């Protein structure tokens, strides 16, 4: 067996999956994350300014910024995304239907700051770089 050959159990499982595929239920598709951003996509670090809307099950979505901040219904950001140990009250205040989550994310996107830089600062820095490199 060469170094690149998968183990026998992996090959057997793949064959079984191919054999069973015709009887499997039809696959479903769900958009599970949306990126909301005021900084143009071609900005070098645009992703750090984005607000994300992530599916969390039960037709509910979280609004997230900076990887660890979760938006509450009161418009404040709460540190930590870990849902375990959070009560129903916390989850109800930090989970939204899709339309509400997208609206909240769009409201928050122009307010994002990164290392003291606003969205306007980021766009100006990009323009300055582009002028310098032209």
């Amino acid at each position: 067996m060469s170094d690149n050959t998968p183990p026998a159990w992996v090959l057997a499982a793949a064959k079984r999956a191919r054999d069973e595929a015709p009887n499997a239920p039809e696959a479903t598709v769900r958009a599970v994350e949306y990126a909301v951003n005021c900084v143009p996509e071609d900005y070098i670090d645009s992703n750090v300014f984005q607000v994300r809307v992530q599916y969390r099950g039960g037709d509910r979505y979280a609004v997230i910024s900076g990887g660890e901040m979760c938006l509450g219904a009161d418009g404040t950001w709460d540190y930590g995304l870990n849902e375990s140990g959070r009560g129903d009250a916390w989850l109800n205040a930090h989970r939204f239907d899709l339309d509400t989550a997208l609206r909240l994310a769009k409201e928050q996107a122009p307010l994002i700051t990164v290392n003291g830089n606003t969205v306007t600062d980021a766009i100006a820095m990009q323009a300055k770089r582009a002028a310098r490199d032209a």
Side-chain angles (χ1 to χ4, degrees):
M1 182 184 312
S2 76
D3 291 339
N4 293 331
T5 303
W9 68 268
V10 170
L11 296 172
K15 181 186 179 319
R16 198 173 101 236
R18 283 190 305 275
D19 292 345
E20 295 172 3
N23 299 319
E26 183 177 347
T28 59
V29 178
R30 175 182 297 277
V32 296
E33 185 166 297
Y34 298 85
V36 180
N37 203 333
C38 291
V39 176
E41 189 176 345
D42 63 349
Y43 174 66
I44 214 165
D45 291 320
S46 69
N47 63 314
V48 299
F49 284 90
Q50 76 184 4
V51 177
R52 295 183 332 274
V53 173
Q54 291 181 342
Y55 182 67
R56 294 303 174 118
D59 288 326
R60 296 185 351 152
Y61 294 78
V63 179
I64 298 166
S65 176
E68 291 294 324
M69 301 302 287
C70 190
L71 186 67
D74 62 359
T76 61
W77 293 96
D78 193 7
Y79 185 76
L81 300 176
N82 187 356
E83 295 178 4
S84 70
R86 306 281 190 164
D88 287 341
W90 188 92
L91 289 173
N92 289 334
H94 292 82
R95 299 295 179 264
F96 312 96
D97 63 81
L98 179 58
D99 290 340
T100 301
L102 290 172
R103 178 182 54 77
L104 292 170
K106 289 174 78 173
E107 289 172 1
Q108 291 296 315
L111 305 175
I112 298 298
T113 61
V114 177
N115 296 328
N117 294 302
T118 66
V119 167
T120 304
D121 293 334
I123 293 168
M125 285 187 282
Q126 177 69 6
K128 187 175 179 179
R129 283 188 197 114
R132 180 191 66 213
D133 296 343

